[in-house]
Amino acid sequence: MKKNDLNSSYWENRYKENDTGWDIGHISLPLKVYFDQLQDKSVKILVPGSGNSHEIEYLWKLGFKHIYAADIAKTPLTNLKTRLKDFPENQLLHTDFFKISDTFDVIIEQTFFCALHPSFRKAYVEQMTKLLKSKGKLVGLLFNFPLSETGPPFGGNKAEYSNLFRKDFNIKVLEPSINSIKQRLGNELFFIFEKKT
C-alpha cells in the first residue's frame, strides 16, 4: 500500500466497517504488566494511534489523569468517550501524530508504528524525540516479522529497530515479548527506550 493511501479517510473507514483486526478488545498483557508497576500517577502519558484506547481506559481506571489519546480517525476517540464519560475532551487529540507539539513523560507504542508506511520511520523517531521530555520513555510493542511491501501492519526486526532508535534513545529493553496474546506470540518485541537528552 502506498504511503498516501494511509490517510484519515482510510482509517476512518476501517473503524466504520469494523475492520480492526489489530484491536484485541482489551489491554495487551505486556502493557498491563508495565502499567501495574508505574508508581507515579502524575506522569503525563501519550498513546498515539490510540485506536479504541484500551490502554487509556486501563490507565484512567488505575488513577492516571494526565493521559492523552491521539488518533487521525475520529470514531475510535468517540468510542473511548462513550466508555469513559468523564474523560476530558481536551485529552482526546483528533489529529495527525506528526502535528502534535506538546511534551510527555511517557509515550506508549501499541500497533501504531507498524501502521505507518515504512517511509515514515525516521520521521517517527524524530517526532518522538520532540514529544518526549528529557529522559522520557517510549514503551511498548513492535512487531517482529519480515518487512514487506504489503501492509499495514508493516514488520521489522530487532536489529532494524536498534539501528533506528539508538542515536536518540538509550535502549533499556528490546526483547521478545513472553506474554503476548497467542496469535502474536513470537512476533512481538517488548521495548523500553529512554530519550538520551
Side-chain angles (χ1 to χ4, degrees), residues 30-129:
L31 287 176
K32 178 185 181 301
V33 170
Y34 177 76
F35 294 156
D36 286 347
Q37 55 82 44
L38 287 179
Q39 300 294 316
D40 183 1
K41 290 193 164 57
S42 71
V43 292
K44 191 173 174 186
I45 300 174
L46 172 69
V47 182
S50 58
N52 283 318
S53 304
H54 305 294
E55 295 74 30
I56 295 276
E57 184 174 4
Y58 186 79
L59 285 164
W60 185 257
K61 289 176 178 176
L62 276 184
F64 290 85
K65 299 303 175 192
H66 306 288
I67 49 178
Y68 293 76
D71 207 289
I72 201 167
K74 180 76 173 167
T75 297
L77 297 172
T78 303
N79 293 344
L80 175 63
K81 184 67 175 170
T82 300
R83 297 194 318 270
L84 294 179
K85 308 278 192 225
D86 57 342
F87 193 85
E89 286 282 350
N90 68 333
Q91 289 169 225
L92 295 170
L93 309 178
H94 179 219
T95 188
D96 184 328
F97 163 73
F98 296 101
K99 294 180 179 169
I100 300 171
S101 59
D102 206 345
T103 56
F104 304 87
D105 301 297
V106 179
I107 300 179
I108 301 301
E109 169 56 53
Q110 170 73 1
T111 67
F112 174 57
F113 180 90
C114 70
L116 294 171
H117 191 274
S119 61
F120 286 108
R121 290 189 172 180
K122 284 186 179 172
Y124 171 103
V125 175
E126 288 168 10
Q127 177 68 342
M128 286 298 180
T129 61

Side-chain angles (χ1 to χ4, degrees), residues 113 121 124-125 128 138 142 160-171 191 193 196:
F113 180 90
R121 290 189 172 180
Y124 171 103
V125 175
M128 286 298 180
L138 175 60
L142 293 166
E160 178 196 348
Y161 300 142
S162 179
N163 288 337
L164 190 61
F165 286 94
R166 68 182 173 200
K167 176 177 164 283
D168 299 300
F169 290 86
N170 292 313
I171 295 175
F191 72 91
F193 299 158
K196 285 184 175 177

Side-chain angles (χ1 to χ4, degrees), residues 165-181:
F165 286 94
R166 68 182 173 200
K167 176 177 164 283
D168 299 300
F169 290 86
N170 292 313
I171 295 175
K172 300 290 194 182
V173 178
L174 179 58
E175 297 298 335
S177 173
I178 58 170
N179 50 7
S180 297
I181 60 168

